[in-house]
Amino acid sequence: MKTTRNTIAKAAILELITHSEVALSHAEIQKLTGDLCDRVTIYRVLDRLVNEDVIHKIATTDGTVKYASCSHSHENHSHNHVHFSCEKCKSVTCLENVVPMFKLPDNYLIKGVNFTLTGLCPNCI
Ligand SMILES: [Zn+2]
Ligand SMILES: [Zn+2]
């Protein structure tokens, strides 16, 4: 029984994130799923989806964590793209084609990039 419910929750949450144009926070996902799953289930499902590399986490400038789906359209799919955070409507968008370039000193190895730009999105400009 438990497995079935989790599977349904996972499918529903993935569906939400995949079809959303903007990244979603835990609270927004909870609101959108309604009674389908409790907050702990949502955390667990999100963790699993992140581990499976289906979605990625975005730490926003105000400290909320948001989740967005990963586009696997590129052969070397990476999470090194830039995120844009709108200060007016608070939406966070993946700018998959914008990849920041770094020239690091020797002996540094990048394992993750968290690059968020703030400003106004097309809807708010
Ligand atoms: Zn906006
Ligand atoms: Zn992203």
Side-chain angles (χ1 to χ4, degrees), residues 5-124:
R5 220 178 55 205
N6 281 343
T7 311
I8 294 168
K10 190 180 168 187
I13 291 171
L14 183 59
E15 173 101 357
L16 274 177
I17 296 174
T18 312
H19 290 111
S20 173
E21 296 216 334
V22 294
L24 298 171
S25 69
H26 179 279
E28 285 160 344
I29 292 166
Q30 190 169 23
K31 209 188 288 168
L32 290 165
T33 50
D35 298 331
L36 187 66
C37 29
D38 56 43
R39 39 179 293 125
V40 181
T41 309
I42 296 174
Y43 273 122
R44 229 180 270 145
V45 167
L46 288 172
D47 266 356
R48 199 178 309 161
L49 290 171
V50 169
N51 285 333
E52 288 173 4
D53 208 24
V54 182
I55 60 170
H56 60 282
K57 264 188 201 186
I58 305 159
T60 63
T61 37
D62 65 2
T64 352
V65 177
K66 297 220 178 199
Y67 299 86
S69 62
C70 295
S71 119
H72 288 218
S73 50
H74 307 285
E75 203 172 302
N76 282 320
H77 122 270
S78 73
H79 299 155
N80 293 354
H81 56 266
V82 161
H83 293 121
F84 192 90
S85 170
C86 177
E87 22 184 62
K88 201 165 162 195
C89 69
K90 306 288 178 205
S91 70
V92 175
T93 321
C94 292
L95 301 179
E96 308 239 17
N97 297 321
V98 186
V99 176
M101 292 290 289
F102 303 103
K103 181 88 184 82
L104 286 188
D106 289 344
N107 300 321
Y108 284 86
L109 172 69
I110 303 178
K111 291 229 171 178
V113 176
N114 192 344
F115 209 87
T116 304
L117 306 172
T118 51
L120 293 174
C121 76
N123 292 332
C124 296

